[in-house]
Amino acid sequence: MKTQELQALIVDWHMGELRPEVEALLEAYLAQNPAAKEESRRIEETLAVTKKAVQAHPELVPSAGTDLKEAPKVGVPARHSQLPWLKIAAALAVAGGAGLMGFQLGAGSAGTQGGLASGKAEKAQGKVQEVRPALAANVPPSPWAKYRISGNNDRQGLLFTRVEGN
């Protein structure tokens, strides 16, 4: 038997609401199960305390003829969520980051396109010159690979080119 079922039966039993055959079965079950008998004793003590409290303060329990009134509504100050501001801030941060990245890509591809255009013109004239990005002289060598991102006009996408170090 589940604990909730047992507790409901014990409360009904102590209130005198069980039929005699169900009461006899519950008494037999309690006689065989010491834990259930202890639970019955605890519920009986709780009911006794509740009965004393109701007798001492009858105004707490409405009678059959008493009109129940709604409790007065207490004004709760409106709480403003900061969630909409956080959403706006996140959207602005994403838009700013995308704008900055687009600007840097656009600025990089403008310089690269000029270099490619002049390189093509030089190839047409017979002068072949290798175009390498200028690296700062005071940058220490790094074990990490460096890449340059530029626009790829043939495929209309981005071109990632590995930049050789010092």
Side-chain angles (χ1 to χ4, degrees):
M1 182 179 308
K2 293 182 181 177
T3 306
Q4 291 177 337
E5 293 171 349
L6 177 65
Q7 291 172 346
L9 280 173
I10 292 171
V11 169
D12 289 346
W13 178 45
H14 286 297
M15 295 298 203
E17 296 181 7
L18 290 182
R19 293 184 306 204
E21 60 272 7
V22 176
E23 190 175 314
L25 287 172
L26 180 61
E27 288 175 354
Y29 179 78
L30 294 176
Q32 293 176 358
N33 191 336
K37 189 168 188 164
E38 178 62 27
E39 182 70 16
S40 174
R41 187 192 60 74
R42 286 188 18 224
I43 291 174
E44 187 175 0
E45 287 175 1
T46 304
L47 290 173
V49 169
T50 305
K51 184 176 181 179
K52 286 180 186 177
V54 169
Q55 288 172 347
H57 301 284
E59 69 275 5
L60 296 177
V61 181
S63 61
T66 306
D67 289 334
L68 297 177
K69 298 178 185 177
E70 283 188 32
K73 294 184 180 180
V74 178
V76 178
R79 213 175 124 188
H80 298 287
S81 174
Q82 292 186 6
L83 190 58
W85 292 108
L86 292 175
K87 286 181 182 178
I88 292 170
L92 289 175
V94 168
L100 181 62
M101 189 170 94
F103 175 76
Q104 289 177 346
L105 286 174
S109 67
T112 306
Q113 286 176 354
L116 290 176
S118 64
K120 288 179 183 177
E122 289 176 357
K123 278 186 180 180
Q125 294 175 358
K127 300 177 187 175
V128 178
Q129 180 182 1
E130 187 177 342
V131 178
R132 288 188 172 227
L135 295 175
N138 59 353
V139 177
S142 171
W144 303 104
K146 296 178 185 175
Y147 292 90
R148 178 181 65 217
I149 301 173
S150 59
N152 186 353
N153 292 334
D154 296 339
R155 297 184 199 143
Q156 295 182 353
L158 296 177
L159 178 65
F160 295 89
T161 308
R162 184 174 180 156
V163 177
E164 296 299 323
N166 293 339

